[in-house]
């Protein structure tokens, strides 16, 4: 099971996106857990995560989060603003899978 943690400004606006990513995973027969949290809670949720996604509103924090949590070895990527805005769960899931495949 793939544990996806989605970080945004307040953890509220990504609820629909969580559903879309889960729908895309189900269509591909991939078992996932997707949860959204405010970026300020990263320390509480990073353990056990397979990948961290940052919403467009917090993408500027990517480098500092990578540096601060480097020892956790959890990959972090940003969500493309167009995919976020269009709630394109399939594209976002494909980005996740491509990234994870590339770092194997």
């Amino acid at each position: 099971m793939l544990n996806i943690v989605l970080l945004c400004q307040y953890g509220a606006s990504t609820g629909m996106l969580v559903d879309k990513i889960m729908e895309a995973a189900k269509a591909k027969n991939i078992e996932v857990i997707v949860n959204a949290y405010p970026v300020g809670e990263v320390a509480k949720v990073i353990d056990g995560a397979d990948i961290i996604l940052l919403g467009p509103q917090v993408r500027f924090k990517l480098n500092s989060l990578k540096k601060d949590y480097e020892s956790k070895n959890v990959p972090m990527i940003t969500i493309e603003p167009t995919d976020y805005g269009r709630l394109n769960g399939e594209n976002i899931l494909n980005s996740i899978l491509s990234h994870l495949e590339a770092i194997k």
Side-chain angles (χ1 to χ4, degrees):
M1 178 148 332
L2 186 60
N3 184 3
I4 302 167
V5 171
L6 179 53
L7 300 177
C8 65
Q9 189 66 37
Y10 301 109
S13 64
T14 51
M16 290 184 292
L17 188 57
V18 166
D19 293 340
K20 295 295 186 179
I21 295 169
M22 291 178 70
E23 286 173 18
K26 185 176 180 180
K28 292 179 181 257
N29 292 317
I30 300 171
E31 291 186 39
V32 298
I33 297 172
V34 186
N35 288 297
Y37 302 95
V39 69
E41 292 187 15
V42 65
K44 296 177 187 175
V45 299
I46 194 168
D47 290 329
D50 293 307
I51 192 163
I52 303 278
L53 303 179
L54 277 74
Q57 66 275 50
V58 295
R59 68 185 307 140
F60 68 94
K61 294 185 179 227
L62 179 64
N63 290 334
S64 64
L65 289 172
K66 281 184 172 182
K67 182 180 174 191
D68 292 347
Y69 296 96
E70 183 177 14
S71 65
K72 298 288 186 176
N73 293 319
V74 176
M76 297 183 188
I77 62 173
T78 59
I79 300 171
E80 289 298 319
T82 52
D83 290 336
Y84 186 90
R86 293 179 180 157
L87 299 175
N88 193 329
E90 184 176 358
N91 276 0
I92 294 167
L93 179 63
N94 289 337
S95 294
I96 292 166
L97 297 175
S98 294
H99 186 80
L100 292 174
E101 184 64 30
I103 62 173
K104 273 188 178 179

